[in-house]
Amino acid sequence: MTSALFSPIKLADLALDNRIVVSPMCQYSADDGSATDWHLGHLAMLANSGASLLVVEATHVERRGRITHGCLGLYSDDNEAALARVVAHCRRVGTAKLGIQLAHAGRKASSQRPWEGGLGLKREDDPWETIAPSAIAFGNEWSAPRAMARDDMERVRDAFVASAKRALRLGFDAIELHMAHGYLLHSFMSPISNHRTDEYGGAAGARLRFPLEVARAVRAVLPRSLPLGARITGSDWTEGGLTPDDAVALAKTLKEAGLDYVCVSSGGITADVMRGGTGLDGRQRVQRIPLGPGYQVPFAEKVRREAGIATRAVGLIATAQQAEAIVAEGKADMIALARAMLDDPRWGWHAAQALAGEVKRPPQYARAAPKLWPGAAYRA
Ligand SMILES: Cc1cc2nc3c(=O)[nH]c(=O)nc-3n(C[C@H](O)[C@H](O)[C@H](O)COP(=O)(O)O)c2cc1C
C-alpha cells in the first residue's frame, strides 16, 4: 500500500514531494533581525530532514515587531542580505523547498528569549514600545502596548508587503502569514485582546478586517503561482475567546482572498496559561489546553472539511504512523513538525523507512538509504 504521507501535493504551482513540513521555529539567534551562522547550520540541517517544505521561523516585518532582541526580521537591506546567504546555502546543500513565515509580534514583542525567562523585557534589557489593537498587556509581566491608530495599521500592512517583496526577491517557494499564537494579527481577531470600538473591533467580521487587509495586500504583490498560506488559531482555549467555528470562518475568508493553505495551531492569546488568574481586564481567566498527541488535529480536520482549503495539522505529532494516519484519514493535507524535527533532524528519512516511502537525500549521503544496506558493497 502506498503511503499517504509520502504522496505529492501541489500548493498553487509549487509541487511538493510529500506531506511533511518543518514547522517554523524561532531561534532567537539573529543580530538586529539578520540571520547568523546559527541559521546557516540549523536550516541546512533541516533542509535535509526529508520534509518537502522547510518553513523559516517567524520573520518580523518591523524592528519593533520582533518578539525578542534575537528574532529574525526582513525589514532592512542587511536582513535581506543575511538571509540571502542562508537561502543560497540551503539551496546548495539541501533538498527541501523553502518557505518563510512573516510575522509581527504586537503586544508580545519586547520579550526575553525563552532561556532568559520569556517574560517582558525589564527596564535594563533595552525594552521598546509595543503596539496592538488595544492597550491591554499580554500579562502582568509585560508592559501595556499602545493602541494602534489608523496610520500604524497602514505602516504595518505596508511592512508586511515590503517584507513579502523581499521574500520574493530571495526566491522563497512559499510565504506564510503568522495569524496565531497571540501575535499582532491574531490579537486583532481575538475578543480577548481586541477591545476596539472603531470599525476594526466589535463583531467578528470587524475584528478580522485588519488581518484581511494585510492578507489581501500581500497576495496582491505575489504571483499567483507562489503559494501564500497562514497559520491560524483553532481555539483560544479560554472563555470568550476564538473557537473552532471562528477558525472555519477565517479559513473561508482567507481562501476567498486567494490564500492557498492554512496551518491550524492554537493558544497563546494570554499569558495566563494553565493557571487561574485575574486578567488585566479584571476577569478570571485561564487557558485550559488539554495537551496530548495530535491535540490540535480535530481543529485542522474541521477547517479542512468545512472551509475546503488545503490544511496543515501541527502539534504533538511525533511518530510516522501518527502522521500517516492523519493524512490517510483525511484529517489534514499536510503535517508540520517542530520539536520532533529538532530531536531527529532526519525524521523524514526515518518515516520513509517506516512507511516504505521515498525521500530525497543529497548524493553525499545516498549510501545512508536503508534499501542499500543488505549486502551492499561498501566502497570508499
Ligand atoms: C523552538 C521553537 C520555536 C518556535 N517558533 C515558532 C515560530 O517561529 N512560528 C510559529 O508559528 N510557531 C513556532 N513554534 C511552534 C511550532 O511551530 C509548533 O507549532 C509547536 O511547537 C507544536 O508542534 P510540535 O509539537 O511538533 O513541536 C515554535 C516551537 C518551538 C519548539
Side-chain angles (χ1 to χ4, degrees), residues 10-322:
K10 234 174 139 191
L11 300 173
D13 283 0
L14 177 68
L16 298 172
D17 292 338
N18 62 48
R19 312 303 184 91
I20 308 166
V21 176
V22 180
S23 208
M25 278 182 276
C26 289
Q27 297 298 294
Y28 315 100
S29 301
D31 179 6
D32 192 359
S34 293
T36 62
D37 286 351
W38 176 262
H39 296 93
L40 217 54
H42 165 71
L43 292 169
M45 170 181 81
L46 293 173
N48 277 322
S49 65
S52 62
L53 180 66
L54 161 60
V55 183
V56 171
E57 70 191 73
T59 302
H60 299 94
V61 301
E62 284 199 309
R63 193 164 191 272
R64 69 174 164 187
R66 293 171 306 157
I67 310 167
T68 72
H69 281 296
C71 280
L72 205 59
L74 202 40
Y75 48 78
S76 73
D77 292 346
D78 283 351
N79 294 166
E80 189 176 329
L83 203 51
R85 173 175 168 256
V86 174
V87 169
H89 181 63
C90 289
R91 298 276 189 217
R92 268 196 305 273
V93 305
T95 62
K97 302 284 186 197
L98 302 176
I100 185 167
Q101 186 184 54
L102 297 182
H104 191 299
R107 67 180 190 163
K108 293 177 79 171
S110 190
S111 291
Q112 301 160 330
R113 292 172 175 86
W115 56 82
E116 293 165 345
L119 302 174
L121 288 175
K122 306 283 176 272
R123 196 187 300 272
E124 61 276 18
D125 297 330
D126 190 18
W128 63 89
E129 182 193 59
T130 59
I131 54 171
S134 303
I136 308 166
F138 174 62
N140 292 315
E141 303 285 345
W142 281 260
S143 301
R146 179 168 62 74
M148 289 167 74
R150 185 70 199 125
D151 61 334
D152 292 307
M153 289 157 68
E154 282 166 10
R155 253 201 319 276
V156 170
R157 182 202 59 206
D158 292 349
F160 268 98
V161 168
S163 296
K165 286 180 176 168
R166 289 184 189 276
L168 195 59
R169 251 192 327 259
L170 287 167
F172 277 99
D173 302 300
I175 296 181
E176 178 166 318
L177 302 173
H178 202 339
M179 295 193 171
H181 301 173
Y183 298 115
L184 185 68
L185 299 179
H186 176 194
S187 72
F188 263 89
M189 288 183 262
S190 175
I192 303 297
S193 41
N194 183 343
H195 293 192
R196 295 179 79 95
T197 52
D198 63 2
E199 69 268 40
Y200 291 92
R207 283 182 274 110
L208 186 55
R209 193 185 303 267
F210 178 60
L212 194 56
E213 283 177 7
V214 170
R216 287 196 176 124
V218 170
R219 180 75 271 180
V221 297
L222 300 178
R224 196 61 200 85
S225 54
L226 189 110
L228 176 64
R231 179 163 265 200
I232 67 169
T233 289
S235 172
D236 278 343
W237 299 111
T238 187
E239 189 202 325
L242 294 174
T243 66
D245 285 334
D246 293 311
V248 170
L250 171 60
K252 282 183 179 166
T253 308
L254 293 175
K255 186 183 173 192
E256 279 165 24
L259 270 68
D260 301 290
Y261 72 92
V262 292
C263 179
V264 190
S265 189
S266 72
I269 196 64
T270 161
D272 301 327
V273 181
M274 303 297 282
R275 63 182 164 82
T278 307
L280 290 156
D281 55 2
R283 290 178 61 189
Q284 185 75 14
R285 176 154 289 129
V286 56
Q287 255 191 124
R288 290 182 204 286
I289 307 184
L291 291 174
Y295 70 105
Q296 296 174 147
V297 173
F299 303 143
E301 183 181 6
K302 180 176 167 72
V303 165
R304 181 176 188 266
R305 192 178 55 240
E306 296 179 26
I309 186 169
T311 302
R312 204 167 80 199
V314 67
L316 289 177
I317 300 168
T319 70
Q321 290 75 11
Q322 187 192 2

